[in-house]
Amino acid sequence: QKYQIALPNPPPRPLNLEQGNFAHARDYNGQRLALPQAQSDKDGIAQTLDSLGLLYQAQGQPAQALDALQQSLSLREELTDRDGVAETLVNLGGLHLAQGRAATALEQATRAIAIAGQIGSRERLVQAQTLACLAYRALNQPDQARQACGDAIGNIESLRADVAGGEQSEEQFFEARVDPYHEMVELLLAEQQPGAALAYAERAKARVLLDVIRSGRTNITKAMTAAEREQESRINRRLFVLNTQLTIANSAPQPDTARAAALKMETQQAQTARAAFQETLYAAHPELKIQRGETPPFQMADAGGLFANDRTALLEYVVTPEKTYLFVITQTKTQTTSGPAAQVFTLTIKEKELTRRVEGFRRQMAEHDIDFHDAASGLYDLLLRPAKALLKDKTSLVIVPDAALWELPFQALESESGRYLIERSAISYAPSFSVLRELKRVRHHQPLTGADLFAIGNPAISAETAKSVQLARRDEKLTPLPEAETEVKRLARMYRVHGAHGSQASRVYIGVEAREDRVKAEAGKYRLLHFATHGILNDASPMYSHLVLAQTGGQGGEDGLLEAWEMMNLDLKADLVVLSACETARGRVGKGEGIIGMNWALFVAGCPTTVVSQWKVASASTAELMLDFYRHLKTDRPKAAMTKAEALRQAALTLMRDGKHRHPFYWAGFVVVGDGQ
């Protein structure tokens, strides 16, 4: 809930709390409490009581929560554990605020702020200052609320500069600290300051990508000692062996489920070991810390360079626990002024309900459900109809989603006229307007060079799998994909004769030639990268989501699985990467950062634009969509060139008009993310 303040480095949550299995979680924490009690471990007792207090609060038992937290506070005061006292005060304050006792919550927050200041804990200060902001808002004291919120944000920015680790570590740090930014957005909107509110919304989005684009990636390899390189090699070899064994086990005609489960567990343990090694490495080499400089605040004038034309609209969503806000920026012209201007719309829907509706609609799309029209029109009415007057003549929409909205295929929403949104407008998605601004700046100062097309299609799989029945989707059942092979061969012919920049070269690998080592060695030389293969989503560990390349028994020293963390380490010069595979747009929604997975990794690797999929796509229709996309995109007449977003729109419309592909399942699965121009 909104008044429950996230810990800067949160401990494991009580067992099954996310699933709502409160009884199980309570029993588990009761067992945890018994052990320190038996050992007279007052510190352990206090920690467990805090967990129980939060659990009771989530369960809607405030009296029991209050009792547990007060017991914890007494123990921590007795132990003179000042940091623990501040922690419990914040938890108590959140409980009081939830029960409508804002003045008491403010007292707790003020005590916690004083203690955190005395012991020099900026992390605890962030918690306490955020609680103070919420309490001041509840007491209708906006000036004090804004001050407390600004103090919290200042401390977050200071802490952020000191995060040890690479891009993934920074992302994980920041997503637990987005709430104060959203509080500031709401405070400024209440004061009728939409421009200032949008600036804070931008400060809470895609900060890691912004740092990478502005300052470059961390080059960890150069700093490693010989011993560290050997340790990394051992870890990666272990992952390679396990991935290979797991692929073989899952591809067998009669899989050994017990063996596969054991291998999956070993693989997860190896992934954990790799993450721990990375953390140790960054701690040993503080010089590797990402350059996290001050980013200029996003201003309305910055939006001017983001418009393809005067029929473009920029949309940014901010999802909070109680409401969602829609910022719409359009070009305006009056007798006295002209330029970008923002309007804000408040959408009254709780985050949990919004998530439920978005997930339901995406599932209907993915499952080819024919009864999707009510959901499509209902979400349109909720998310876009309030801005209907601003959007009525817009043929290009740039959307910055938030939270669950990253999973929503806006292109398949239906207006009151029964038309899909894509029938009216080309759509592209961006992590933030600030990131889009930087992508365009870098692209402008670094003219495109290199050969045209590098494509992978229908990589070879094991002989056992090749004998199995071919499926119609590019999913985790690793059957051959003849349509994907045809797709890339036709692309090769399209780009071989006359490249857009005078290049004659394109490189296409199929079957056993579509190896991972070749991708790593050659992909950085090309302007367009196209992968037509199987895509595997890893919900639990999205940086291990991957594309399946040739299964060649370790030839080239690779396992044939191009994982997201490996994509992130590529040095790409490509203007566009197309992942013509299943669920390549998906991953874990990182609060503030967006979708963490293959698409995010490609941004870090240096690519400004991707075309990726939101569900498990059909192979034959995907091939048609892709070839038509490139036909619209490729032209020898610069003035006639389409934007990437418009090229995908035209390809989708062509597929839609084919009667057998009318359902959005076929044409709405792929989206343009990044610079859609």
Side-chain angles (χ1 to χ4, degrees):
Q1 299 181 42
K2 189 172 184 178
Y3 39 78
Q4 291 180 327
I5 312 301
L7 297 179
N9 291 295
R13 293 174 63 83
L15 187 66
N16 286 329
L17 184 54
E18 280 86 354
Q19 289 79 23
N21 193 339
F22 297 112
H24 193 179
R26 186 177 62 248
D27 292 344
Y28 172 74
N29 280 277
Q31 293 169 9
R32 285 179 55 200
L33 182 60
L35 182 59
Q37 283 177 332
Q39 297 175 343
S40 299
D41 176 8
K42 291 184 179 181
D43 181 61
I45 294 170
Q47 291 182 33
T48 306
L49 284 168
D50 255 54
S51 294
L52 279 169
L54 293 175
L55 173 62
Y56 280 125
Q57 182 181 355
Q59 195 176 0
Q61 296 179 274
Q64 292 90 330
L66 183 61
D67 180 60
L69 291 172
Q70 286 178 332
Q71 287 185 61
S72 174
L73 181 62
S74 297
L75 282 171
R76 286 179 155 173
E77 288 175 335
E78 181 183 338
L79 293 167
T80 63
D81 174 9
R82 292 196 291 172
D83 184 62
V85 168
E87 177 186 6
T88 306
L89 284 170
V90 170
N91 290 336
L92 271 169
L95 176 62
H96 286 299
L97 189 63
Q99 297 301 305
R101 298 186 290 272
T104 304
L106 183 57
E107 292 174 7
Q108 311 281 22
T110 303
R111 278 190 65 194
I113 288 171
I115 294 170
Q118 291 165 6
I119 63 177
S121 174
R122 289 175 297 171
E123 292 187 336
R124 202 65 71 191
L125 266 174
V126 170
Q127 289 180 273
Q129 289 162 342
T130 304
L131 174 61
C133 172
L134 292 168
Y136 279 126
R137 283 192 67 193
L139 294 168
N140 196 27
Q141 299 180 39
D143 292 342
Q144 294 90 331
R146 198 179 335 102
Q147 180 63 52
C149 200
D151 290 342
I153 290 171
N155 278 310
I156 290 170
E157 297 291 333
S158 176
L159 283 165
R160 180 174 170 271
D162 294 333
V163 172
E167 291 82 6
Q168 293 181 66
S169 296
E170 187 189 356
E171 184 278 320
Q172 291 165 3
F173 165 85
F174 194 69
E175 73 173 77
R177 296 161 176 83
V178 173
D179 289 348
Y181 294 85
H182 288 175
E183 290 299 321
M184 188 66 89
V185 168
E186 294 189 298
L187 284 163
L188 291 168
L189 288 178
E191 297 174 6
Q192 304 298 311
Q193 297 187 57
L198 178 60
Y200 274 97
E202 281 286 298
R203 286 176 68 176
K205 289 182 183 288
R207 293 296 295 275
V208 178
L209 290 179
L210 196 56
D211 284 335
V212 170
I213 296 167
R214 290 179 62 84
S215 305
R217 289 180 300 172
T218 304
N219 191 333
I220 195 169
T221 304
K222 290 183 178 180
M224 292 166 63
T225 66
E228 288 166 343
R229 287 194 182 95
E230 175 57 28
Q231 185 178 357
E232 181 187 49
S233 179
R234 286 198 305 270
I235 291 171
N236 288 342
R237 282 199 303 270
R238 178 63 176 157
L239 274 170
F240 157 72
V241 170
L242 289 168
N243 281 335
T244 302
Q245 291 176 343
L246 186 57
T247 300
I248 293 171
N250 286 331
S251 300
Q254 295 180 330
D256 182 340
T257 55
R259 169 67 172 157
L263 284 169
K264 185 175 182 180
M265 181 174 294
E266 284 190 70
T267 303
Q268 291 170 344
Q269 291 170 348
Q271 292 169 358
T272 301
R274 180 181 175 276
F277 169 72
Q278 291 279 317
E279 291 298 321
T280 302
L281 198 60
Y282 278 100
H285 297 279
E287 73 275 12
L288 293 174
K289 186 170 64 177
I290 296 174
Q291 296 298 313
R292 301 177 181 110
E294 286 294 322
T295 301
F298 184 83
Q299 299 178 353
M300 202 56 60
D302 296 326
L306 306 183
F307 290 90
N309 50 51
D310 59 4
R311 300 191 71 184
T312 299
L314 312 178
L315 286 70
E316 179 162 324
Y317 290 88
V318 176
V319 177
T320 72
E322 299 299 318
K323 297 175 182 177
T324 292
Y325 299 94
L326 167 60
F327 294 83
V328 180
I329 306 177
T330 55
Q331 292 277 25
T332 60
K333 292 182 181 179
T334 66
Q335 291 182 341
T336 57
T337 61
S338 64
Q343 292 191 42
V344 187
F345 302 88
T346 301
L347 315 178
T348 307
I349 184 170
K350 294 182 183 295
E351 182 177 8
K352 287 184 178 179
E353 175 62 13
L354 178 62
T355 299
R356 185 191 66 79
R357 291 179 63 175
V358 168
E359 288 178 349
F361 181 61
R362 195 206 68 83
R363 189 165 52 250
Q364 285 183 305
M365 296 290 97
E367 295 175 356
H368 203 295
D369 188 338
I370 61 173
D371 295 323
F372 67 89
H373 295 284
D374 287 347
S377 59
L379 284 166
Y380 175 90
D381 289 344
L382 172 68
L383 297 170
L384 293 169
R385 193 171 185 179
K388 178 181 176 181
L390 292 176
L391 303 179
K392 65 179 180 180
D393 62 344
K394 304 306 178 188
T395 58
S396 176
L397 303 180
V398 179
I399 300 176
V400 176
D402 194 23
L405 294 177
W406 272 106
E407 296 260 81
L408 179 66
F410 279 83
Q411 57 275 12
L413 300 185
E414 292 185 46
S415 67
E416 61 273 13
S417 65
R419 298 178 68 205
Y420 295 110
L421 186 62
I422 201 170
E423 293 184 83
R424 187 180 70 196
S425 304
I427 300 165
S428 64
Y429 298 84
S432 73
F433 294 146
S434 300
V435 165
L436 191 56
R437 175 191 64 190
E438 291 302 310
L439 288 173
K440 289 180 176 293
R441 180 186 64 80
V442 171
R443 189 177 174 192
H444 176 75
H445 288 95
Q446 295 180 359
L448 297 174
T449 59
D452 278 335
L453 175 72
F454 177 93
I456 291 287
N458 193 22
I461 54 177
S462 66
E464 293 87 353
T465 307
K467 295 175 183 177
S468 63
V469 178
Q470 294 180 10
L471 297 184
R473 300 190 188 183
R474 301 181 183 183
D475 63 6
E476 67 273 8
K477 296 182 179 179
L478 304 182
T479 53
L481 296 169
E483 296 94 346
E485 183 170 330
T486 301
E487 180 180 319
V488 296
K489 286 180 177 178
R490 292 175 67 182
L491 282 178
R493 290 195 294 271
M494 193 181 299
Y495 278 87
R496 182 172 294 128
V497 180
H498 295 293
H501 294 266
S503 168
Q504 302 293 316
S506 62
R507 186 61 61 89
V508 172
Y509 292 113
I510 60 175
V512 295
E513 300 300 316
R515 301 200 314 262
E516 184 179 358
D517 61 312
R518 281 192 164 140
V519 173
K520 292 180 178 179
E522 300 180 28
K525 304 172 185 176
Y526 292 83
R527 295 179 48 254
L528 300 175
L529 305 180
H530 186 91
F531 295 86
T533 181
H534 292 284
I536 308 297
L537 172 68
N538 187 327
D539 286 309
S541 301
M543 294 307 290
Y544 288 94
S545 295
H546 57 268
L547 300 176
V548 179
L549 302 179
Q551 304 294 294
T552 57
Q555 185 178 355
E558 302 287 354
D559 58 10
L561 307 180
L562 184 62
E563 294 170 314
W565 69 270
E566 294 176 296
M567 297 179 195
M568 188 173 70
N569 292 329
L570 297 174
D571 185 16
L572 299 182
K573 303 298 187 294
D575 181 50
L576 173 66
V577 176
V578 178
L579 302 185
S580 181
C582 289
E583 300 188 294
T584 50
R586 302 192 68 207
R588 180 179 61 81
V589 179
K591 194 172 184 181
E593 192 66 22
I595 292 281
I596 308 302
M598 286 186 267
N599 185 67
W600 185 80
L602 289 168
F603 274 120
V604 175
C607 179
T609 313
T610 60
V611 173
V612 285
S613 61
Q614 293 183 300
W615 49 78
K616 295 178 180 179
V617 294
S619 190
S621 58
T622 293
E624 292 183 40
L625 179 77
M626 288 299 161
L627 290 168
D628 205 28
F629 165 69
Y630 280 101
R631 276 192 288 267
H632 288 294
L633 189 64
K634 183 182 181 299
T635 176
D636 296 320
R637 304 185 306 278
K639 291 184 179 180
M642 282 189 183
T643 66
K644 300 176 182 70
E646 180 62 25
L648 185 62
R649 171 178 176 264
Q650 290 296 331
L653 292 177
T654 299
L655 201 59
M656 180 195 305
R657 290 163 187 154
D658 176 354
K660 64 181 179 181
H661 294 138
R662 177 68 183 172
H663 194 285
F665 165 79
Y666 295 104
W667 52 261
F670 284 90
V671 292
V672 174
V673 184
D675 186 357
Q677 294 186 29

